[in-house]
Amino acid sequence: RLENAASANGDDKTSIGEVQVRGAHVISGSNSWHATGDFGYLNDGELFLTGRKGNETTIEGWQHYMIEHGLSSIEGLAQVAAIPRANAFDIHFSGPCDNQELKEALSQKLPNRIIGKITKHKALPTDRRHLSKILYRQI
């Protein structure tokens, strides 16, 4: 379930809220809802995570997950993390895609003034339990 969901980008079909879960696999012997600290939205029955508490910074109406999701279709991009710094997002990525390809894709989707430093990594750090959950603070 999504708690305190609010409309995102004025689109009434997509609302973002804190993800809450319950069940024996979550908290043994409890039927209470557990707040995960993750934010996300449901789209056609699929859950899309948009961030975690403490990672809600907005720059000129953009949040990190919007940039990451927008870049997810770039061939050769394995992982991407958009980290807010002052008035721009630093972009960290891995995969065979190169800096120039990523910069061109970003310039088609975002105002150039909010694109900060672009850094390629061998791999971005991920949580050992959820290999797709990027550990932003370790970048």
Side-chain angles (χ1 to χ4, degrees), residues 39-52:
F39 289 98
Y41 63 93
L42 293 171
N43 186 351
D44 291 330
E46 290 187 72
L47 175 64
F48 292 85
L49 297 178
T50 60
R52 291 200 41 84

Side-chain angles (χ1 to χ4, degrees), residues 7 10-15 41-43:
S7 181
D11 178 1
D12 293 332
K13 295 180 184 177
T14 305
S15 43
Y41 63 93
L42 293 171
N43 186 351

Side-chain angles (χ1 to χ4, degrees), residues 78-80 94 123-135:
Q79 298 170 296
V80 64
S94 69
L124 299 179
T126 57
D127 182 284
R128 286 183 281 158
R129 295 174 301 144
H130 311 96
L131 297 178
S132 64
K133 197 180 256 189
I134 294 172
L135 300 173

Side-chain angles (χ1 to χ4, degrees), residues 1 3 17-21 34-40 49-56 64 133:
R1 106 177 163 173
E3 186 67 25
E18 184 173 6
V19 177
Q20 295 190 354
V21 295
H34 170 72
T36 65
D38 292 316
F39 289 98
L49 297 178
T50 60
R52 291 200 41 84
K53 277 189 176 182
N55 193 12
E56 305 97 348
H64 74 97
K133 197 180 256 189

